[in-house]
Amino acid sequence: MTNPTPGNNPFASSSSNSALSGPVFSTTTGLSIDSGGERRGFDLRHFWHSLVERIWIVALCLIAGLFLALGYLARTPKLYQGHVVIEVDFAEPTVVNSDDSTMRMRSTFLASQEALRTIEQNMINRSLLARVVRSEGLADDGGRALLGQPAAIPSSSAAPTPATGAQAVDKFALSPFTPMEEALAGALSFGVKPIIRRGTRLIDLYVTNRDPAMARRLAEAVGREYIRSSIERRASFSQDSLRYLLEEEERLKVNLQKSEAAVAEYKAKTPDALQLGGGAAATGSQPGAGAGSSGAHGGLVENKLQELTSKLTAAKADRLRLESELKQIEGEGDNVDALVAVPSIAAAPNVSDRRRDLAQLEAGVPMLAQRYKDKHPKMISARAALSEARDGLRRAVLAQPAVLRNMLEQARSAEANLETAVHEQEKAALALNKAAIGYQELARQAETDRALYESVLRQIKETNLTKDVKTTAVSVIEHSPLPRIPASPNPTKAIILGLLGGLFAGIGFVYGADLLDRSIKTVDQAEATLGLPVLAAIPEVGKADTAGKTDGKISPSAASYRLMAEAPEGPAAEAFRNLRASLSLLGPEVERKVFLFTSAVPNEGKSFTSANYSLALAQQGHRVLLIDGDLRRPSLHKIFRPPDSKNRAEDDSVGIVDYLVGSMDLGTAVRRVSAGRLDTAAAEKLTPTGGQLSVLTGGRRAPNPAELLSGPSFGRLIAEAARLFDRVVIDSAPILAVSDTLLMTPLVQTVCLVVQASRTPRNAVFRALGMLTGAGGRPAGIILNRLPRRRGGGYYYYYASPGYGKGEGAYSGRTGAEVASTR
């Protein structure tokens, strides 16, 4: 006995036997899914419908969030908020205009944002809050008033009058803060909240407390104590500065006296040093002059040296000029016109006079020539005078070189005398400078001591004047009113946050459940995940779909399985008609005669699907044989049990097992059953189909189902059934439960895998597909069973309209006359 193989089976599936591998991309959803069925991206549409499906979780979380918010409002004490507005100036007010660098740095710091943040942080300083506790006497009753416990609170809600002057300083300087005050300051720090207003120099100071009067009181006290502490710090700094300046003034005074005494003593010992300058300044009689001014005024020796040097420079310049002009004269010879161009000759008084006379005569001769002839006496006299003038100019010009040589000799003699005098004066200056070095050092030291002493005296006067000024750059510009409405808790905010928290929690639970849910929910998901077409989407069947439709002929449980017969107008029956049409379009009729319905795990609805598909084929007019191939748990005998059967045990004992063991032929083992309401007389008159449904049930239990199915008897059964019937439908066992189905798949033409929506794990379906492919029976498609029919069901590709055509004669068994009479 040999096992049947796809090679020798005429009805073997012509589908591709390639294994399912690699990622699959859904063109419907755009979701990339790997071979294990894991989603690689976030599908908003899928998540939205999952959210609609589990909206009850979100509703529960919203209700829980609302109750939590209401509980929070009921249990949380009401807190009131005092509000004070504080302004920070760009500079501290002062009564003295000072250009001191410290004040400039302080003003620069106050004008920055860092100053505002520093003040903001200092307002929650524990030491400042301890001052508030002490000034307000909050530790006297053990802090009960501050903590909202029953205590005696002052009748007036206004803040107490702050202490001034020495009282305020003594109150906080005499003793350190007690542990109670520090602990209350720590508790108060949680209720103090300063906030800088954006784009301004204002600070909003908020203080919360259970008592509105106490909240206002604390807000005023915090602002007041900060200003008071700032004034005290400034006063303390002024006192310390004044004390230091007084000590420094005494020290500088002694140093100045010593420096001036040293200068006077040196002047007495070295009187010649005064000739270099600085003597009067060193004694302090002329402020601003001293050793540094000696270069500006100079001493007697230095002044004389500078004068001689200037004269020597001028003498050298004259000598060089005269020598240059004499060289030029020697080169020109007796050329009077060229000699007149020499500056020294041209500037000579004698030459200047001659040139002026000559110019006048030259100007007068042309005028006389216009009035007289050449031999006129006046013309002759004028020309004679002109000739005489030219001769005189020539003699005067030629006499000037001798004069210039005499002047050059005098210039050389004067230059030599000045050089001798300069050398002698330089020697005297060097001698005096050596003697004045010590004097200038003493004079500079005395001047430095005097400048320091005067600076300290000026600072002492300014500090002494401003030490008692109680001003600061921080001021309260808006006092706190008595709060009427609690600042916390905010009912609206608490309820909104509770609802939002419940909403996000519900969405999170839905998202987590969706991530953990590995079932296949939709047609899109099935096609994208499995890479196979969905042949039909069978909606979930409710009790209303079969109620009142059995007419007492069959049991209600059988009616719920035979929807094609007992509820042909229902949406499930329409889905099986779609399945019938989808399978009929897969190929030629000769290649689509033997169908096998299986599932990955039990209870997926394969028997329900195979039974109704067989009924749909029979109602179409085909001769159909429905074989119960699940020998482990047969169920078709329960669905198609005759209603008038008297011996049910005997009827159920005949089936496929008898044929496989050879104890009964096919004609005897097969039982014909009713195809449903369409078998009625009225229906036959309207739609005579001519089809019939025969069932080969499981029969008696087989001790060796796998061996029976792997033998040649099952192959002969399929071949004989295909010859006698138009369609053969096999209801097989789950693939992952037993191996029976894998033994049958090589002998069938079309394999359909039934998957229950929202239940079957994806990995189980993948494993079943892999086993089917390995056995040579790749499924033709998927049948998605029990799709939900609830709000948002369109997402599951169930678009049937319940009741469409109902009452109009469609599958209702009513005649045309009956329908017409109701119109």
Side-chain angles (χ1 to χ4, degrees), residues 69 74 99 131 177 187 220 390 405 454 533-534 549 569 590 744 815:
D99 294 334
R131 288 173 59 98
F177 297 113
E220 295 284 350
R390 288 175 178 170
R405 293 186 185 92
E454 291 176 352
V534 174
K549 300 177 182 179
E569 72 279 6
V590 68
M744 290 186 276
T815 64

Side-chain angles (χ1 to χ4, degrees), residues 88 102 107 164 186 214 247 272 287 316 320 385 438 462 491 495 545 564 616 624 626 646 683 687 699 715 755 767:
V88 182
T102 304
S107 300
T164 59
M214 178 60 71
E247 294 175 356
D272 293 338
K316 287 182 179 180
L320 293 175
E462 293 177 358
I495 292 175
D545 295 325
M564 288 297 300
V624 183
L626 176 60
K646 297 180 180 179
T687 55
V755 177
R767 180 171 175 78

Side-chain angles (χ1 to χ4, degrees), residues 546 549-550 554-564 566-567 639:
T546 57
K549 300 177 182 179
T550 61
I554 60 176
S555 63
S557 60
S560 63
Y561 274 83
R562 299 175 54 186
L563 293 178
M564 288 297 300
E566 306 303 330
I639 300 175

Side-chain angles (χ1 to χ4, degrees), residues 429-446:
L430 290 175
L432 289 176
N433 283 335
K434 292 180 180 179
I437 290 176
Y439 168 76
Q440 292 177 354
E441 292 180 354
L442 294 176
R444 283 194 297 268
Q445 182 64 37

Side-chain angles (χ1 to χ4, degrees), residues 609-619 624-626 640 693 729:
T609 303
S610 59
N612 283 278
Y613 176 66
S614 300
L615 289 170
L617 291 175
Q619 291 176 3
V624 183
L625 174 61
L626 176 60
F640 296 99
L693 174 62
V729 180

Side-chain angles (χ1 to χ4, degrees), residues 577-593:
R577 294 187 188 96
N578 291 336
L579 175 62
R580 180 182 64 191
S582 298
L583 291 177
S584 66
L585 298 175
L586 290 180
E589 183 177 358
V590 68
E591 297 179 2
R592 299 297 174 187
K593 294 190 65 175

